[in-house]
Amino acid sequence: MDPVIVVGAGPVGLTLSLSLARQGVPSVVLDEGPGKDEQRPARTVVLREDTAALVERLAGTTFDATGTRWTGWRSLRRKQVMRELTFGEQLPSPLHVAQHEVTGALRKAVAGERLIKLAVNSRLDAVEQEAAGLTAHTRGPQGTWWRGSFLVGCDGPRSTVRKLLDIRFPGRTAVERHAVAALRTELPWPGEALLHRSLPWRTSGASGGEVVGRPLAGGVWRLDWLLPPRSELVTPDILVTRVRETLAGWSGGATPPYELLDTGVHTVHHRLARRWRVGRVFLAGDAAHLLGALGTQGLDEGLRDADNLAWKLAAAWHEGPREALLDSYQAERRAVVAGRLRAADQALPILRGGGGLRSYVAGSARGHDALLTDGHLGQGALGAPGSYADSPLAPEPVESEVAVGTPPGAPVEDVRVTAPDGSFVQLRERLGLGHLLVVLIAPGTGVWERRHWVGAGVMPRLAAAVTALPHEAELLVAESYPGAPAHSVLLIRPDGHLVTAFSGVRPDDLRAAAETALGGPAENDAKTGTATTSH
């Protein structure tokens, strides 16, 4: 089989290539640049718990030194504190880090991966699809033809892949604009992120406004000021004035010492590609969607695209055509992003004024604050990870199904489990390896060595049922899981979303659910010319 061609060497493309390599699939990453990223302290990303864990797992490192996890969140309106949250076990902190740090860590991991070839200075020029694969042509100093089994466009908002496929990209332009600054200073809330609305001081000649402050490592802060619609050009002098006014307002009237590191203007667009798959070609990340108003983070969704698509491409690459499985990528991911865009479109008139829904829903300051907090912290309709409950891969309910703390289709909790070798690991560490996970909830197993219970009770029967599944699966044991009765059996997809849970060992139901989660049996379809292959 030919490798998967990944177009674009940003965080989404590199994450996808590393995810494929982890599942034994080779790839070629076409990077139109020289293989280096500009260091911009003001261009940062906020990663939620699941996407931060995904990147750190694939990069083989943590961002403890280069990023920061906030200690708390505070919302203010004028001079009143509206909400204060403390991050901890019940409310995990987001990871805030400069994007070039994320890309650099992923590039380093790619350089050490034998299954990935990074082709720099290679700009895609043409794609030709055939029954047995596809061919991609690049231009530039190293222009050539590349053969591939599939191609994924992770090449950003102006995606060449999307344009070559003639896929429409409708939506809204300049939904929000923000002036951005990265600076080193001391603020009264070390380690806390904050949202301040209806500022009590005059901002560049006008009262009101909104600013978000997010701490970074090394005493650096990123500040974002929401700009009025159709506002004038933000000059360096205007931005410096905003910095001084804001720091003074937060520090009791006097501007504290600060070092300005980087500035910019961030414009948020909302767009959604009509199609995310055409034959053997797929779109992911900003090539497929643009979102980011009201504090939401577009990179989060791009990384979830890569996580969703990687295991499906790996299954098709190793086992032969799985059209229903590949089609489910668009069905699942596009629905989630469309839902998030709808939620933002409904909230924007309420939060930003200008008529619309605000004419009918008065709302309250605290209600508005809750909506914005959801977007910034990855909660609710604006920010929480999407569920695939309505996916074509979701099995029909059966009598043996049991309810647990995680609804079917939602991401599972990161509990401690016993691996097949007897070691204790976190469940999240077993994700992204291309196989299904079957987790038995067995209280008491956490205090006994595995040899004492591996051959007792329901374990032999469950082990036999897992071995008989139509796709490779790993059997894990957890002492407990939120909301799960003892002896529940959870079936989990390679990307960490719950398929279903059963009361006890149900071999037939488990097999049927696994087949549905894989889109049905693999096909050796002569029309595509892809033969079933084992690796």
Side-chain angles (χ1 to χ4, degrees):
M1 283 280 286
D2 293 315
V4 174
I5 298 175
V6 178
V7 183
V12 175
L14 297 173
T15 294
L16 177 61
S17 66
L18 287 166
S19 297
L20 290 169
R22 205 164 187 246
Q23 298 170 65
V25 179
S27 62
V28 174
V29 180
L30 304 181
D31 183 359
E32 68 175 46
K36 297 181 179 179
D37 300 284
E38 182 183 9
Q39 296 194 7
R40 293 289 309 275
R43 189 179 186 188
T44 67
V45 294
V46 179
L47 301 181
R48 314 309 180 198
E49 183 187 19
D50 59 329
T51 51
L54 170 66
V55 172
E56 290 182 335
R57 186 168 66 242
L58 293 173
T61 187
T62 68
F63 295 98
D64 295 341
T66 55
T68 186
R69 296 183 187 272
W70 308 329
T71 59
W73 168 268
R74 124 185 353 242
S75 298
L76 302 96
R77 185 170 184 266
R78 297 189 179 94
K79 296 183 179 181
Q80 180 183 4
V81 177
M82 304 295 291
R83 175 177 296 193
E84 289 184 90
L85 299 173
T86 300
F87 294 114
E89 187 174 340
Q90 298 301 315
L91 181 63
S93 171
L95 170 69
H96 188 206
V97 61
Q99 182 165 315
H100 67 259
E101 297 286 358
V102 175
T103 309
L106 292 169
R107 280 189 184 275
K108 186 175 180 180
V110 164
E113 176 53 64
R114 64 178 181 81
L115 289 177
I116 303 175
K117 178 177 178 58
L118 181 63
V120 299
N121 298 313
S122 298
R123 180 176 177 81
L124 184 70
D125 190 47
V127 176
E128 296 179 2
Q129 296 197 58
E130 309 139 21
L134 52 79
T135 304
H137 181 259
T138 57
R139 55 186 168 91
Q142 302 181 34
T144 186
W145 290 93
W146 298 91
R147 286 291 300 168
S149 54
F150 301 97
L151 183 145
V152 186
C154 306
D155 48 344
R158 295 181 174 86
S159 171
T160 299
V161 175
R162 189 183 64 242
K163 293 172 183 175
L164 290 174
L165 296 176
D166 196 25
I167 295 175
R168 291 185 59 202
F169 198 37
R172 301 170 60 193
T173 299
V175 177
E176 288 185 347
R177 293 176 69 241
H178 299 262
V180 182
L183 51 92
R184 184 175 285 107
T185 190
E186 291 187 13
L187 292 178
W189 313 282
E192 289 189 18
L194 69 147
L195 165 69
H196 200 160
R197 305 180 70 215
S198 301
L199 304 176
W201 59 86
R202 295 182 66 81
T203 305
S204 301
S207 60
E210 175 180 309
V211 61
V212 177
R214 302 181 182 96
L216 282 157
V220 176
W221 289 78
R222 169 173 165 167
L223 305 186
D224 290 64
W225 294 267
L226 178 66
L227 298 174
R230 297 175 295 279
S231 59
E232 296 180 0
L233 181 68
V234 180
T235 65
D237 287 344
I238 290 176
L239 192 49
V240 169
T241 300
R242 283 182 177 266
V243 168
R244 297 182 61 84
E245 289 171 342
T246 301
L247 295 184
W250 284 343
S251 303
T255 302
Y258 69 92
E259 178 187 1
L260 190 60
L261 304 175
D262 191 20
T263 62
V265 174
H266 174 53
T267 302
V268 176
H269 309 289
H270 278 181
R271 295 189 179 278
L272 186 64
R274 292 289 191 193
R275 301 176 66 185
W276 291 27
R277 181 192 182 193
V278 176
R280 293 177 175 271
V281 182
F282 301 79
L283 299 178
D286 287 351
H289 51 77
L290 295 175
L291 69 164
L294 309 179
T296 58
Q297 295 288 318
L299 180 57
D300 254 357
E301 295 304 334
L303 295 173
R304 291 182 182 124
D305 293 345
D307 199 25
N308 183 292
L309 181 57
W311 72 272
K312 297 172 181 179
L313 288 176
W317 197 90
H318 284 300
E319 302 172 11
R322 288 181 174 271
E323 293 304 309
L325 184 63
L326 295 176
D327 283 342
S328 73
Y329 166 67
Q330 173 177 307
E332 292 179 345
R333 292 300 307 147
R334 192 178 186 279
V336 165
V337 176
R340 184 147 301 168
L341 287 171
R342 281 195 300 271
D345 285 343
Q346 291 168 358
L348 273 165
I350 301 173
L351 293 169
R352 303 306 188 209
L357 289 177
R358 186 170 182 161
S359 304
Y360 306 97
V361 184
S364 67
R366 292 192 180 276
H368 296 176
D369 173 78
L371 277 172
L372 282 167
T373 298
D374 282 350
H376 283 284
L377 301 186
Q379 302 170 342
L382 284 178
S387 170
Y388 305 141
D390 297 325
S391 166
L393 305 182
E396 293 292 330
V398 293
E399 190 175 332
S400 62
E401 189 174 1
V402 65
V404 299
T406 300
V412 294
E413 299 287 337
D414 188 27
V415 298
R416 190 179 79 155
V417 296
T418 304
D421 63 1
S423 63
F424 293 116
V425 298
Q426 291 302 121
L427 178 57
R428 195 169 274 151
E429 294 177 27
R430 309 309 300 163
L431 301 177
L433 295 173
H435 51 244
L436 299 169
L437 300 178
V438 178
V439 181
L440 171 67
I441 311 305
T445 52
V447 298
W448 294 96
E449 291 186 25
R450 183 174 181 272
R451 61 187 175 86
H452 292 304
W453 49 259
V454 69
V458 301
M459 278 296 292
R461 187 164 175 247
L462 180 57
V466 170
T467 302
L469 289 178
H471 186 76
E472 183 183 358
E474 183 177 37
L475 175 56
L476 304 169
V477 179
E479 189 165 11
S480 64
Y481 186 89
H487 305 131
S488 301
V489 175
L490 280 60
L491 178 62
I492 302 169
R493 299 176 6 160
D495 58 359
H497 287 254
L498 181 68
V499 178
T500 187
F502 300 108
S503 175
V505 180
R506 311 283 180 162
D508 292 341
D509 292 342
L510 182 64
R511 181 181 181 86
E515 284 187 342
T516 303
L518 294 164
E523 314 151 16
N524 190 359
D525 192 339
K527 291 182 180 180
T528 63
T530 307
T532 302
T533 309
S534 298
H535 293 266

